Amino acid sequence: MLIIPAIDLKNGQCVRLKQGLMDQATVFSENPAEMARHWLAQGARRLHLVDLDGAFAGKPKNEAAIKAILDEVGDSVPVQLGGGIRDLDTIERCLDDGLSYVIIGTAAVKNPGFLRDACVAFPGHIIVGLDAKEGKVATDGWSKLTGHEVIDLAKKYEDYGVEAIIYTDIGRDGMLSGVNVEATVRLAQALTIPVIASGGLSSLDDVRALCAVESEGVVGTIAGRAIYDGSLDFRAAQEVADQAAR
């Protein structure tokens, strides 16, 4: 089970939002590359970047900060990026810059043909981010709720050839209220591709609960606010996950 630190970027800074609200941002670092170095030193084996400005603008907006992080990380761990990735040229540029995976969210829902093309053009590098509230998928930086069921869409994307699904429970993101393990497992059981849990991770008990369902296909979880405000010790969380796998 991978514990994956999130580095959310807004105006070139590392921030955390509550429930995706841009006006509810807390700045945790003005140097995202330094933050990446910190998580690597703590034992992170993958990093999760989100271009928040890009998610709302529909195109990357924090490229300088992303490149600085990639320069810092080098080839040491895979780095994945979501937020504003809406065309094949952007994906190609991201991968050329050194990203291992790109995460397609809103564009996957609104333009499934683009997602299919991306999977064909860049096999093994495309992850879909499905953000949901009460089982329904949300788009546009979580500002719009669709009528689509998470599992139905995920199955379709699996057929396209996506590498994994990141499942976020919007109602829990940034609220330190615990991961929605039940909904995450339901999704993982319906798929053969890996699922990464996101939203609400707040304690070692959450980590243990996710480790208990790793065999269902939940391969990792994204850690956000809890590892920044100190309520969850990242190194301890990864050690608990590693022990559970032994």
Side-chain angles (χ1 to χ4, degrees):
M1 174 74 61
L2 282 180
I3 314 298
I4 308 169
I7 299 177
D8 289 3
L9 301 166
K10 182 174 185 279
N11 299 327
Q13 299 174 317
C14 173
V15 306
R16 292 302 297 167
L17 305 185
K18 283 189 178 178
Q19 296 185 311
L21 300 171
M22 287 291 269
D23 60 354
Q24 296 282 317
T26 305
V27 177
F28 282 102
S29 173
E30 295 185 357
N31 187 336
E34 198 173 84
M35 188 56 71
R37 190 186 319 133
H38 168 74
W39 295 127
L40 289 185
Q42 292 292 306
R45 294 177 207 148
R46 187 187 289 203
L47 294 177
H48 175 80
L49 312 185
V50 182
D51 185 339
L52 294 169
D53 303 298
F56 283 86
K59 59 184 179 183
K61 287 287 185 181
N62 283 281
E63 287 176 297
I66 292 161
K67 283 180 180 172
I69 290 169
L70 292 171
D71 287 345
E72 183 67 46
V73 170
D75 296 329
S76 56
V77 300
V79 181
Q80 58 198 40
L81 169 71
I85 297 169
R86 310 277 163 91
D87 60 67
L88 297 177
D89 287 344
T90 301
I91 295 174
E92 186 169 24
R93 198 164 67 246
C94 286
L95 297 176
D96 285 346
D97 285 344
L99 284 158
S100 300
Y101 306 100
V102 297
I103 303 159
I104 300 174
T106 293
V109 181
K110 292 189 166 182
N111 187 358
F114 159 60
L115 177 64
R116 192 189 288 115
D117 290 346
C119 289
V120 170
F122 308 104
H125 295 286
I126 307 300
I127 292 174
V128 166
L130 283 177
D131 307 325
K133 194 170 188 178
E134 292 165 7
K136 302 290 186 186
V137 172
T139 61
D140 298 280
W142 303 352
S143 61
K144 296 175 184 171
L145 208 56
T146 71
H148 296 296
E149 294 284 343
V150 170
I151 289 176
D152 294 343
L153 277 187
K155 282 182 169 177
K156 185 163 78 169
Y157 301 156
E158 179 177 49
D159 290 342
Y160 290 173
V162 303
E163 184 70 9
I165 300 284
I166 295 174
Y167 174 68
T168 304
D169 185 324
I170 296 169
R172 303 194 185 208
D173 190 76
M175 303 304 288
L176 303 179
S177 55
V179 178
N180 191 337
V181 176
E182 209 175 286
T184 306
V185 169
R186 263 200 311 274
L187 178 60
Q189 287 173 335
L191 304 172
T192 58
I193 56 174
V195 172
I196 297 169
S198 175
L201 186 77
S202 59
S203 68
L204 291 177
D205 284 343
D206 287 334
V207 175
R208 292 185 189 100
L210 286 167
C211 288
V213 297
E214 188 170 6
S215 61
E216 302 287 355
V218 183
V219 301
T221 181
I222 291 165
R225 180 170 287 272
I227 60 171
Y228 283 93
D229 70 11
S231 54
L232 178 65
D233 181 292
F234 173 80
R235 191 188 287 275
Q238 187 61 69
E239 282 174 3
V240 163
D242 290 346
Q243 284 166 6
R246 289 187 187 123

